Amino acid sequence: MVKVIIVGAAGRMGRQLVADALRDKELDLVGGVVEPGMSEVGMDLGILGGQQPIGITATDDLESVIDKADAIIEFTAPEATVEHVGVAALHKKAAVVGTTGLGSAQIAKLREAAEVTPVLLAPNMSVGVNVLLKALPLIARALDESYDIEIVEAHHRMKKDAPSGTALKLAEVIAQALQKDLDEVGSYGRKGIAPRSTGEIGIHAVRAGGIVGDHTVIFANEAEQIEVVHRAFSRQNFALGALRAAKFVAKQKPGFYSMADVLNL
Ligand code: NAD
C-alpha cells in the first residue's frame, strides 16, 4: 500500500482525488491538506470526497501529517505548490504535482527538491493524452506533406483560455516531429478568404455547454483521413492518472519525473 496525502483536498481536483484514492485498493489515504482559513479545515476527508466519514480530518498544516505518508499529491496553486514540495523534500517524501501555471523560477525550485526526493510534474495527468503525445509524432512522421493536419478542441463554456494548453501541446509535438516551428506553421481559426497553405497545422477551439474536454487530431489527404480523438468524461480522467503517478513515484529514487516515465513511454 502506498500512503498518500492529498494537498488541495477541498478543490475540484482535490475532492475527486480523495474520492478515487478511497476506492483504490493499492492506496491508503492518510491525510488531506486544505488552505488555511477555509471552512473545510477539520472536515472529515470521506465527506470531502462525497462518501462516508473515514475518521481522518482535513488539516491546514502539511508539516503535521507529512510523516504518515509516502507521497503527497498536490493540486493547488503555484506558490502553495512550491512550499508544499519543499516540505515533502525536507521529509524525503515523494511529490506528484498537477498544479498548472508554474513559472520557470518555480519549476526550478521543484527541480531543486527533486535532487533529494522524487518529484513528478505533469500539467496533464490524463493517461490517454500522454499516450497521444507519444503516438502522434509517429503518425505525423510516417505521413507525407499531402496530409493536412488540423486539431479541433472542445471545452465547456466557462473555459477562459483558447486554444487549450493540451491542444497546443499536441500541435507542438507534431510540429517538432516534422522539424517545424509551431510559431510558423500554427494557424488559429479561419475567417473570410483564408485558404490553407501546405504544411500548416490548423488549431480550432469550440466552447459549448458542459463539455469536459475533447481533442481531435485530423490527418487528411485527397484519398483518406485519419482521426485521433480523445474525450475526457470527467475530472476522474486526471485523478486516476495522478494516483497512478503517486504509486510510481513513491518507489523511485530522487529525480524529476513526468507521466512519460509512469507510462513507460
Ligand atoms: P480549485 O480552485 O478548485 O482548487 C484548488 C484548491 O487549492 C482550492 O481548494 C484552494 O483552497 C487550494 N489551495 C490553495 N492554496 C492552498 C494551500 N496553501 N494549502 C492547501 N490548499 C490550498 O482548482 P482545481 O480545478 O482543483 O485545479 C487545481 C490546479 O490543478 C490548477 O492549477 C489546475 O490548472 C490544475 N489541474 C491540473 C490537471 C492536470 O492534469 N495536471 C487537471 C486539472 C486541473
Side-chain angles (χ1 to χ4, degrees), residues 18 34 40 42 81 85 95 141 143-144 159 192 229 242 258:
V18 167
V34 299
E40 287 88 356
T81 298
V85 174
R141 270 195 298 267
L143 303 175
D144 61 29
K159 186 166 175 65
V229 182
S258 72

Side-chain angles (χ1 to χ4, degrees), residues 79-133:
E79 264 181 43
T81 298
V82 170
E83 199 183 309
H84 293 139
V85 174
V87 173
L90 212 62
H91 292 257
K92 301 266 174 10
K93 306 294 184 181
V96 170
V97 177
T99 304
T100 58
L102 292 155
S104 50
Q106 290 164 326
I107 293 175
K109 287 257 164 68
L110 301 194
R111 284 189 177 276
E112 233 172 75
E115 285 170 21
V116 294
T117 201
V119 176
L120 183 144
L121 175 66
N124 191 321
M125 297 271 178
S126 152
V127 170
V129 165
N130 281 283
V131 170
L132 278 196
L133 290 174

Side-chain angles (χ1 to χ4, degrees), residues 24 38 41 83 92 136 146 149-150 194-195 215 226 231 242 245:
D24 193 319
M38 301 286 280
V41 177
E83 199 183 309
K92 301 266 174 10
L136 286 170
S146 73
I149 304 171
E150 298 272 317
H215 292 86
I226 300 171
R231 282 190 216 292

Side-chain angles (χ1 to χ4, degrees), residues 8 25 36 41 56 62 75 90 104 135 145 149 151 166 226 248:
K25 293 191 171 57
V41 177
I56 303 173
L62 178 60
F75 280 73
L90 212 62
S104 50
E145 280 247 309
I149 304 171
I151 298 175
T166 300
I226 300 171
F248 168 85

